[in-house]
Each structure stands twice: as structure tokens, then as C-alpha cells.
Amino acid sequence: NLWEKFRPGTQPPPELGANRDWNVDLIPKFIMASGDLVKILLKTKVSRYLEWKCCEGTYVYQYQEAGFFSDAKYIHKVPATAQDGLKSPLMGILEKPRFINFAKFIMDWEDDKPATQQGINPRGHTMKQVYDKFGLQEATVDFIGHAVALQINDEYLGKACGPTIEKCKLYLNSVMTYGGSPFIYPIYGLGGLPEGFSRLSAIHQGTYMLNKPVDGFVYDDQGKVC
């Protein structure tokens, strides 16, 4: 186990509990609570063989100068509720109403209903133009782009706003699914995903094979996969 690997010859403190209570993924990846993967798991009913845990919260690094009654801050919790938003130091008092208006715009947005888009063309306007429309400050733009839309750089600001708006909406919908954080994670690690599919396959008398290419599908007379 990991304790033996990094601290050989010693025993873990008893307050840490049993070894089976811990799981360390070599390549951890969080899953959006309202993302396509979760929809696939629900559609295929693999979700019944998985146990999930919602992350308690997500945090961002943003330097904040010290005040008269407070020290300098670096780590801030990403707001997950309206109450969190009002208390969050990530935005000033005057900025919070503008952010709320932006969040409402994102939640109301529908690609096929121009009435919900407030004159924004998802393929013609850039994301910078959207931010400017709501008067958002640079720090808020940085927070939204990287902590909410999960963009890895600022190149998205000069591109069509449609994909970023969809990412923001996915994030907000995922937050509202469980509250606290948009991310969920299998209790026993990502290895539980293929295990869930293998269990479903076994129930239907199938053989589940890992790391094997698909040669094709065999259909019956009704056009269903045999």
C-alpha cells in the first residue's frame, strides 16, 4: 500500500482508520454532476452499480491584499449558493449584482430561443463582448473563465461565445444538482466505472473485455444488437 511504499517499516496511525477506507487514484478526474458521462451512466443504468460522493467545495487561488482588520488571502472558495456569493471576497459589493445578472443570463440561455439571448449571437459575438455587456471587472472575468468555464487560457475571450456559455451553464446546472460543488466522484475511484459496465454486461450474459478494439456489431432481424 502507499504507506508502506513511502514510509517502509512503519505503521500508519490508528486514527487514520483501515487501509480499505482510503483510495488514491493515479489519474484523478472529477465528473460534472450534469455532464454527458452522468447522463450515459443513467441511460445505460450502470449508475445503479456505482456509489458517488459530491465534493464538498472547490477553491481558487487569487491574491487579495490585507485590510485593516484582515490578513492577505490567497485561497478562496468558489461560491456554490446565493449566500456563498454574497459572502465571497472574490467580488466587491458593487460587482456582485452584475455577476448575479450574468449568472441569470447564463441559466436562462437556450440555443434555439433567441428571446433568451439578449441580443447575443453565440457564433458572432466573442466572450469578451459578453463580459463587457454586463460590465464585469477583470478579476471576475478571470474567475468565471477559469473556475467556472474551466478554460485553460485566455484565448477563448476572442472566440465565439457559444461554447463558453454552454460550459458556464453546465457548471451552474451541476452545482444545483447536489449543492456545494459541481463535481462528483466514485467513492471507490474511477476504476468503478468499467467495473459497473462489466457487472451490467454479466447480468445480460455478456463478456466484458478491457483494452480490446471493437470489430463491429451483430444485429438481429428487428435491427437490435444481438
Side-chain angles (χ1 to χ4, degrees):
N1 55 47
L2 282 180
W3 188 276
E4 180 64 25
K5 178 177 177 62
F6 291 101
R7 296 184 180 180
T10 64
Q11 293 295 322
E15 59 266 21
L16 294 180
N19 183 60
R20 63 177 179 272
D21 294 336
W22 295 83
N23 176 76
V24 178
D25 267 332
L26 298 180
I27 309 176
K29 294 181 180 179
F30 289 125
I31 299 170
M32 281 286 191
S34 294
D36 289 338
L37 177 57
V38 173
K39 294 176 182 177
I40 292 173
L41 296 175
L42 291 172
K43 180 71 174 179
T44 57
K45 299 181 180 179
V46 172
S47 56
R48 67 179 66 177
Y49 305 109
L50 295 168
E51 293 185 62
W52 301 90
K53 180 177 177 60
C54 180
C55 298
E56 296 181 1
T58 54
Y59 297 80
V60 296
Y61 177 94
Q62 188 177 96
Y63 174 70
Q64 186 178 49
E65 294 182 354
F68 288 108
F69 304 104
S70 62
D71 297 329
K73 296 180 180 178
Y74 299 90
I75 306 298
H76 307 273
K77 185 178 186 298
V78 177
T81 65
Q83 291 77 12
D84 287 347
L86 293 175
K87 298 177 182 177
S88 175
L90 288 170
M91 295 171 283
I93 296 176
L94 298 178
E95 182 72 353
K96 290 176 181 178
R98 292 192 284 264
F99 174 77
I100 291 174
N101 290 335
F102 173 79
K104 187 177 186 304
F105 162 74
I106 293 295
M107 294 304 301
D108 293 340
W109 177 277
E110 294 186 36
D111 278 336
D112 56 349
K113 294 183 179 180
T116 67
Q117 299 172 3
Q118 298 188 24
I120 295 295
N121 183 343
R123 288 169 290 277
H125 288 95
T126 66
M127 199 61 203
K128 183 180 185 306
Q129 290 175 307
V130 176
Y131 291 142
D132 291 342
K133 174 181 174 65
F134 290 91
L136 298 175
Q137 297 177 352
E138 182 179 352
T140 306
V141 169
D142 190 53
F143 156 69
I144 294 173
H146 301 299
V148 176
L150 304 179
Q151 299 284 2
I152 60 176
N153 54 49
D154 289 337
E155 293 180 0
Y156 80 99
L157 291 171
K159 297 180 180 179
C161 63
T164 300
I165 289 177
E166 289 299 324
K167 288 184 177 184
C168 290
K169 187 166 185 175
L170 171 61
Y171 186 98
L172 295 176
N173 283 334
S174 297
V175 167
M176 292 190 296
T177 300
Y178 296 107
S181 171
F183 303 113
I184 57 176
Y185 197 75
I187 288 181
Y188 299 106
L190 295 177
L193 296 178
E195 183 180 352
F197 279 99
S198 66
R199 289 184 179 182
L200 182 65
S201 176
I203 289 176
H204 293 280
Q205 301 179 348
T207 301
Y208 189 85
M209 302 178 68
L210 294 174
N211 199 27
K212 294 292 181 180
V214 176
D215 295 327
F217 297 95
V218 179
Y219 299 89
D220 58 18
D221 296 336
Q222 286 74 40
K224 295 182 178 180
V225 177
C226 297

